[in-house]
Amino acid sequence: MKRSVLIIDDELDQAEGLAKSLLKSIKNTSFEYVADEESIITAIENHYFSVAIVDLRMDKFSFDGIDLIKKIIEVNPFSKIIIISAFAGEYLSPIKDLFKTGKILDVIEKKEFTAFTEELRNVIEEYHVNLFNNPSEINNALLEFYSQAKNEKDAFKKGERFENFVSLLFQSIGYSKVTKRVKDKSLNEVDLIIRNEIDDSFLSKFGKYILIECKNKPKENIDKNTFIVFNSKLVHTNHLSELGILATTGYIARNTYIEAVRTSHDIRKIIFLSNVEFEELILSHDKLETFKEIIDSQVKDN
């Protein structure tokens, strides 16, 4: 899991300046800044960050910082939030409610720039030290999110929650960019596309992208036809993707394994993630290595 900070502001110059200043003083941490409505929502929903710095007052937008913080809490269970504002007094009641979630690290007043960034630096570094010394917090958040996805009754929300869980799981492995619900020009939809930029010599050989199909139907198996359709999507990526993942809360049908063996001569590889593999990944303290071991275990069998 990376140390990554997302800075959200409605003023591009302020967001960029803050990112550059913090980058100079905090090592081994990446900083991303967004300052327009579309980029902000895209980053919250698709990008990995362990800490979000959120300005409250956004006069240019259809939402304010309170709305965005609620969105972050909804879609990212292991991101913490630092509130920054020169107008925090105007938001006392909603800030008080947000603190009850346990997701707010601090509220920092915008003031003289050097003192302001120094205070931010201290909060960010202290949190990251505590986080990496106690990875169980991440594992517990993932386990809770997985349980919510499996227990959801509404059919649409069930699929959405599972996709969010899988996205967060791979972000915890180390993948920074995960895009959801992508359609190509032929309208073939892929649930998740991971930009394969991870710093690992083994995984980097699987092409520029990893495709994931998510099935949250515990009573249904992943059958042969599901495998064939997904394999076709992998084939038509212009060799940009050589690794696909079929993720399910159910089970893999026997004829699916047979089909996987039949196509195993191909350079592309499809890995199955079901309940057993998810449990291994959630509880692992080295999720990257566990993911590679899962791939190893399935090379021979399918």
Side-chain angles (χ1 to χ4, degrees):
M1 186 172 179
K2 297 180 179 179
R3 303 171 188 239
S4 182
V5 178
L6 176 66
I7 299 172
I8 300 174
D9 203 309
D10 64 340
E11 296 290 345
L12 178 60
D13 291 345
Q14 291 186 27
E16 183 178 13
L18 185 57
K20 288 180 178 179
S21 178
L22 290 171
L23 186 60
K24 290 178 182 178
S25 61
I26 302 178
K27 305 301 181 184
N28 302 318
T29 303
S30 63
F31 290 87
E32 178 183 7
Y33 57 90
V34 283
D36 66 80
E37 290 204 19
E38 184 177 355
S39 298
I40 289 170
I41 297 303
T42 298
I44 288 175
E45 293 184 345
N46 297 303
H47 298 180
Y48 166 74
F49 50 95
S50 49
V51 174
I53 300 174
V54 184
D55 192 10
L56 289 183
R57 194 162 176 175
M58 299 186 176
D59 297 329
K60 300 178 181 180
F61 298 158
S62 60
F63 47 68
D64 63 16
I66 298 296
D67 298 321
L68 294 175
I69 291 168
K70 290 178 179 177
K71 180 71 172 176
I72 292 169
I73 291 171
E74 176 189 353
V75 303
N76 192 334
F78 49 71
S79 174
K80 299 293 187 180
I81 299 150
I82 302 172
I83 296 172
I84 59 172
S85 182
F87 307 96
E90 299 178 11
Y91 298 88
L92 286 179
S93 180
I95 288 174
K96 185 178 179 181
D97 290 337
L98 289 171
F99 263 102
K100 295 176 183 177
T101 67
K103 300 296 184 181
I104 309 301
L105 290 177
D106 208 342
V107 179
I108 298 178
E109 181 185 357
K110 282 187 174 181
K111 46 194 173 187
E112 190 272 325
F113 190 72
T114 302
F116 170 57
T117 52
E118 179 65 15
E119 194 171 351
L120 272 172
R121 185 189 70 81
N122 291 337
V123 174
I124 292 168
E125 292 211 295
E126 182 181 0
Y127 172 65
H128 279 151
V129 168
N130 293 334
L131 176 65
F132 284 85
N133 285 339
N134 183 24
S136 62
E137 181 177 349
I138 300 166
N139 295 351
N140 290 339
L142 285 169
L143 186 59
E144 175 65 21
F145 222 56
Y146 187 49
S147 299
Q148 290 175 3
K150 292 190 69 171
N151 295 333
E152 176 62 54
K153 302 300 182 185
D154 181 270
F156 177 79
K157 289 182 180 178
K158 193 174 186 69
E160 190 177 54
R161 281 185 179 274
F162 186 52
E163 288 171 18
N164 285 341
F165 160 75
V166 175
S167 173
L168 290 164
L169 176 62
F170 276 88
Q171 288 172 15
S172 75
I173 289 172
Y175 292 97
S176 299
K177 299 291 190 301
V178 182
T179 307
K180 302 171 188 173
R181 296 278 177 177
V182 179
K183 289 185 179 180
D184 62 22
K185 292 182 180 179
S186 66
L187 300 183
N188 282 323
E189 186 173 85
V190 178
D191 291 333
L192 299 173
I193 294 182
I194 296 174
R195 193 187 295 175
N196 190 20
E197 295 177 323
I198 201 163
D199 185 18
D200 184 272
S201 58
F202 173 69
L203 290 167
S204 64
K205 295 177 182 178
F206 285 110
K208 296 184 182 298
Y209 299 95
I210 298 172
L211 275 54
I212 305 181
E213 193 83 0
C214 299
K215 301 293 183 182
N216 189 12
K217 297 180 179 179
K219 295 182 180 180
E220 294 185 17
N221 292 333
I222 295 290
D223 59 16
K224 173 182 174 181
N225 289 336
T226 301
F227 179 91
I228 291 172
V229 170
F230 182 56
N231 190 49
S232 175
K233 293 177 183 179
L234 202 61
V235 168
H236 293 95
T237 61
N238 262 341
H239 301 288
L240 291 175
S241 176
E242 296 175 2
L243 179 63
I245 297 169
L246 277 170
T248 178
T249 54
Y251 300 91
I252 312 298
R254 176 173 171 75
N255 64 358
T256 307
Y257 284 111
I258 294 172
E259 181 65 22
V261 171
R262 193 184 69 80
T263 59
S264 61
H265 65 279
D266 196 279
I267 191 171
R268 288 168 291 274
K269 181 67 181 172
I270 294 178
I271 296 298
F272 302 124
L273 295 183
S274 57
N275 292 293
V276 173
E277 291 79 17
F278 282 131
E279 183 179 10
E280 289 179 15
L281 286 166
I282 290 171
L283 299 179
S284 173
H285 291 296
D286 188 346
K287 291 178 173 47
L288 176 60
E289 189 60 33
T290 300
F291 179 47
K292 290 160 64 175
E293 289 171 0
I294 289 171
I295 296 175
D296 291 342
S297 70
Q298 295 189 27
V299 166
K300 181 178 65 176
D301 297 334
N302 60 328

